[in-house]
Amino acid sequence: MSTQKVAIVTGAARGIGAATARRLAEDGMAVAVLDLEAAACADVVDAITAAGGRAIAVGCDVADEDAVAAAVDQVTAELGAPTVLVNNAGVLRDNLLFKMSVPDWDTVMAVHLRGAFLMSRACQRHMLDAGWGRIVNLSSTSALGNRGQANYSAAKAGLQGFTKTLAVELGKFGVTVNAVAPGFVETDMTRATAERIGVPFDAFLDAMAQETAVKLAGQPDDIANAVSFFADERARYVSGQVLYVAGGPKA
C-alpha cells in the first residue's frame, strides 16, 4: 500500500495555487488540482505528470457544500485520502465601501471563508483517520487593512482567526493548521487590479516592489515555498501561525 501523501490545492488552475500544486508534487505528494472548472487545471496537471508526479484535475465550487463533498470523495477514490489541504481559492470584488454591493460582499465571503470551512470540514475526517494532517490557509497582507477591499480584508482576517481556532481543535489529532499571508505577488489577479485602476502592469509592479524592504515583487513560487514548509513532516511543532511572505516585516 502506497504511503504517498495526497494533497488538495484549491484555486490551483493558475497563479499561487498552480505554483503550490507543482511544488507539493515536487515534494513527493499526489496532488488534486482543484478549481471551478476541471478543464482549467489541465496545464498544471500535465506539468506535474510530465515530471513524473501524480495529479488529477477536479472541478468544484468551494462555496457549494454538495460540490465539496463530491470533490473530496473523487480525490479519495482516484488518488487516496487527502491529508494535506491548501485553501487558496479566492476572488476579488474590490470597491470602496459606499460603492460595494451586497453580492460583491457575499461572493468574497463565500469563496474565502465558507470555502475554507467546507473544504477543511470535509478533509479533516481523513486527517483524523490517518492521525496526521496539514491545513494551510492563504490569507493576505490585506488582512491588515487595504483601501477598497473591505470584503477581501475582512475575509482574509477571518481566515487568520479560523486558522488559529482549527489549530487548537485539531492539534491533539496530529493535524497542524497554519496560514500564509502573501504581500504583493505577480499574478493574473494583480494584473487585473492594475487594469482596473488604469496603470500599466510593469509600472504597477515596480511601484509595489519599491514599497517592500527587499525592493522586489513576489512570485507565486515564493508563496509555494512557504506552503511547502507548513505541509512538511518537519513542521510538526508549528501550528496556528500566520507567516507574512511580503518582502518585509508586517504586524
Side-chain angles (χ1 to χ4, degrees):
M1 184 175 177
S2 173
T3 58
Q4 184 181 37
K5 290 183 169 58
V6 176
I8 296 176
V9 183
T10 71
R14 59 183 183 171
I16 290 170
T20 298
R22 292 191 299 266
R23 175 58 199 264
L24 294 182
E26 290 171 9
D27 291 344
M29 299 181 191
V31 182
V33 182
L34 190 149
D35 215 295
L36 202 54
E37 300 293 338
C41 303
D43 288 348
V44 181
V45 170
D46 289 348
I48 291 172
T49 54
R54 294 174 67 215
I56 61 170
V58 181
C60 177
D61 176 356
V62 296
D64 183 318
E65 184 177 7
D66 292 339
V68 165
V72 174
D73 285 347
Q74 179 187 345
V75 173
T76 303
E78 296 185 25
L79 290 180
T83 56
V84 174
L85 170 64
V86 181
N87 285 311
N88 170 73
V91 294
L92 290 176
R93 296 291 187 272
D94 293 353
N95 227 326
L96 295 174
L97 178 63
F98 76 100
K99 295 181 180 179
M100 187 172 289
S101 69
V102 170
D104 283 354
W105 175 272
D106 288 347
T107 296
V108 170
M109 292 298 157
V111 176
H112 293 270
L113 284 175
R114 180 182 169 93
F117 157 67
L118 290 174
M119 289 299 305
S120 298
R121 191 181 64 173
C123 290
Q124 59 90 28
R125 61 188 175 91
H126 295 294
M127 299 177 187
L128 268 59
D129 286 345
W132 189 94
R134 299 285 186 265
I135 298 174
V136 184
N137 298 314
L138 268 292
S139 180
S140 168
T141 54
S142 292
L144 304 172
N146 197 33
R147 178 180 171 85
Q149 290 194 318
N151 48 6
Y152 187 78
S153 297
K156 291 305 194 182
L159 279 173
Q160 295 189 16
F162 181 68
T163 296
K164 292 176 183 294
T165 298
L166 292 197
V168 171
E169 291 187 7
L170 301 178
K172 65 182 179 180
F173 301 108
V175 180
T176 66
V177 188
N178 292 285
V180 175
F184 182 83
V185 178
E186 185 177 349
T187 65
D188 289 344
M189 187 177 282
T190 52
R191 184 180 293 274
T193 299
E195 290 176 2
R196 179 177 58 81
I197 62 177
V199 177
F201 192 49
D202 287 345
F204 188 54
L205 282 180
D206 185 62
M208 297 305 292
Q210 292 308 308
E211 292 185 8
T212 71
V214 297
K215 307 304 179 189
L216 294 170
Q219 297 297 320
D221 284 344
D222 295 321
I223 311 307
N225 290 337
V227 175
S228 171
F229 166 70
F230 282 135
D232 194 86
E233 292 272 10
R234 292 168 292 182
R236 70 185 187 94
Y237 202 53
V238 183
S239 196
Q241 301 305 302
V242 179
L243 175 63
Y244 285 92
V245 184
K250 295 291 177 181

